[in-house]
Amino acid sequence: MRARLSPLGVEGGVMTGSSRFERPVVVQVSRHSSERVVFDVNDASNILLRHLHRQTAKRKAAMDACRQVLRGEAHPPVARRAFVAAALEAKILRSD
């Protein structure tokens, strides 16, 4: 049986409580979509993969930070800060 991988390559795609943000981030990925509340690193990584298509240094840093948290190599505030910077750059940030 093969292990299922999440979009960031984490085996099983299982999140732990340690990947949650202390405060959620609110984004709106398009003018016609409703606001989305991002509670954890998994939510943030999905938005980075599916909605931020420009390959910028801030997006790459946010992706790397999310991977590090999901691997247990960093703490969620690192990924949150990087995600907020990428969302601000992409003009999708609504509330930090």
Side-chain angles (χ1 to χ4, degrees):
M1 176 179 204
R2 290 185 56 164
R4 190 180 63 118
L5 296 179
S6 75
L8 294 177
V10 176
E11 191 168 306
V14 177
M15 289 185 352
T16 64
S18 66
S19 68
R20 288 186 66 83
F21 295 151
E22 284 188 19
R23 287 182 306 124
V25 179
V26 180
V27 296
Q28 186 175 8
V29 296
S30 75
R31 277 194 290 162
H32 304 294
S33 67
S34 57
E35 291 183 342
R36 292 177 59 176
V37 181
V38 181
F39 291 101
D40 55 47
V41 173
N42 197 46
D43 291 344
S45 64
N46 283 329
I47 288 170
L48 290 164
L49 285 168
R50 291 182 170 83
H51 299 287
L52 272 64
H53 302 292
R54 283 186 45 224
Q55 300 293 326
T56 68
K58 288 183 181 178
R59 179 187 179 272
K60 182 182 181 321
M63 292 292 297
D64 290 344
C66 287
R67 280 189 196 99
Q68 289 173 347
V69 171
L70 291 171
R71 290 180 184 146
E73 300 168 354
H75 297 289
V78 173
R80 187 184 186 282
R81 282 191 299 275
F83 176 69
V84 166
L88 185 61
E89 177 184 60
K91 298 183 170 95
I92 66 167
L93 184 67
R94 293 297 169 257
S95 175
D96 171 19

